[in-house]
Amino acid sequence: MFPTGLARLRVSAEVRVGEHGYSNRNPWRSPSRSKRRPAPRPPLLLRSALILLLPIVAAGCGSSVDAAIDDAQQYERLPVYWAGVRFEDWEVTRLQGFSPNRAFVGMVYGTCSPSGGLEPSCAVPIQLQISPLCWQLEVAARDQVWRTRRIRGAPVGKVDGAPVIFTRRTQIKVYTGQGATPGTALRVLKALRSINTVEPVIGPNDLIPPPAPGVLEGTTPCTTR
């Protein structure tokens, strides 16, 4: 588990980003570069937290997306589940963090059009954030809706208003934005399948292996193996 102090820092980082044109809820909200005013540089520790929140690999054209998908397919640290190259009306457009030394990865589906005020911004249609199961698990499992809500065999909770599915080794949180409907996030979870070959590997119709018994309840130690 990461220290609780970092959990508080992560929240403050989201708020700081929100003050300069991003969404407090969705850290990949896209600002308009042409009209943004320069923002003060945050303290060093805050900048470290921002690194976890903002895209590391941005794929803006087809060849870049293909290369980023190749990196994701070769990623060996954790099993990674996604909704395929295309989900409903949106193609995957961005991938984050698929390097050997990173345990936090993610991806974006679709694009959005910034609007509003001096610092236009927008929320991408679909964003997946994937982290190790044990990352702040006590906080992630605090809303115990996961006790009665499952998708393909895995419990589904709620964090920051977004659904999060708890798998054998990971948490997968889905944010939605421009063009999405209230049911989009849960449909994404229903469509999950493996992008890499780290076990447990699943297809789009397979059951999703849940955490070991007692892990979400806090009666069994959490591991990612």
Side-chain angles (χ1 to χ4, degrees):
M1 289 287 289
F2 284 77
T4 55
L6 184 56
R8 291 193 295 271
L9 181 62
R10 183 174 184 271
V11 171
S12 67
E14 290 190 23
V15 172
R16 175 65 64 89
V17 175
E19 292 171 357
H20 300 296
Y22 294 80
S23 164
N24 290 340
R25 181 179 65 84
N26 185 339
W28 283 6
R29 195 173 175 93
S30 302
S32 170
R33 295 182 179 178
S34 61
K35 296 185 179 181
R36 288 187 66 201
R37 294 189 298 271
R41 285 178 63 83
L44 177 60
L45 289 179
L46 188 55
R47 294 202 301 271
S48 299
L50 288 174
I51 292 173
L52 298 179
L53 297 173
L54 299 179
I56 303 303
V57 177
C61 61
S63 59
S64 297
V65 172
D66 291 342
I69 290 174
D70 288 343
D71 289 341
Q73 291 172 333
Q74 301 301 317
Y75 183 73
E76 297 181 346
R77 184 154 182 174
L78 289 171
V80 177
Y81 305 143
W82 69 331
V85 175
R86 183 180 183 89
F87 177 77
E88 296 184 357
D89 294 332
W90 304 285
E91 294 184 353
V92 65
T93 54
R94 224 182 257 180
L95 291 98
Q96 170 190 5
F98 289 98
S99 59
N101 62 338
R102 295 191 63 85
F104 298 84
V105 300
M107 57 201 67
V108 164
Y109 288 80
T111 59
C112 61
S113 301
S115 63
L118 294 175
E119 296 183 348
S121 63
C122 64
V124 293
I126 298 169
Q127 175 200 348
L128 276 66
Q129 294 182 353
I130 304 160
S131 59
L133 174 63
C134 303
W135 163 252
Q136 297 183 357
L137 183 58
E138 182 179 352
V139 175
R142 185 173 295 160
D143 187 327
Q144 297 194 2
V145 66
W146 54 264
R147 290 184 179 273
T148 58
R149 184 168 66 169
R150 287 180 176 260
I151 288 179
R152 290 168 53 192
V156 178
K158 183 171 66 174
V159 178
D160 299 333
V164 54
I165 192 167
F166 300 102
T167 78
R168 180 69 52 80
R169 298 179 60 188
T170 62
Q171 301 177 34
I172 306 170
K173 182 162 57 174
V174 182
Y175 285 112
T176 55
Q178 195 173 93
T181 65
T184 298
L186 293 181
R187 294 198 302 275
V188 170
L189 295 179
K190 292 177 182 178
L192 291 177
R193 77 287 306 269
S194 294
I195 188 174
N196 62 353
T197 57
V198 178
E199 296 290 345
V201 174
I202 61 169
N205 299 313
D206 294 336
L207 290 176
I208 300 172
V215 168
L216 296 185
E217 294 85 349
T219 59
T220 299
C222 180
T223 67
T224 55
R225 294 295 176 185

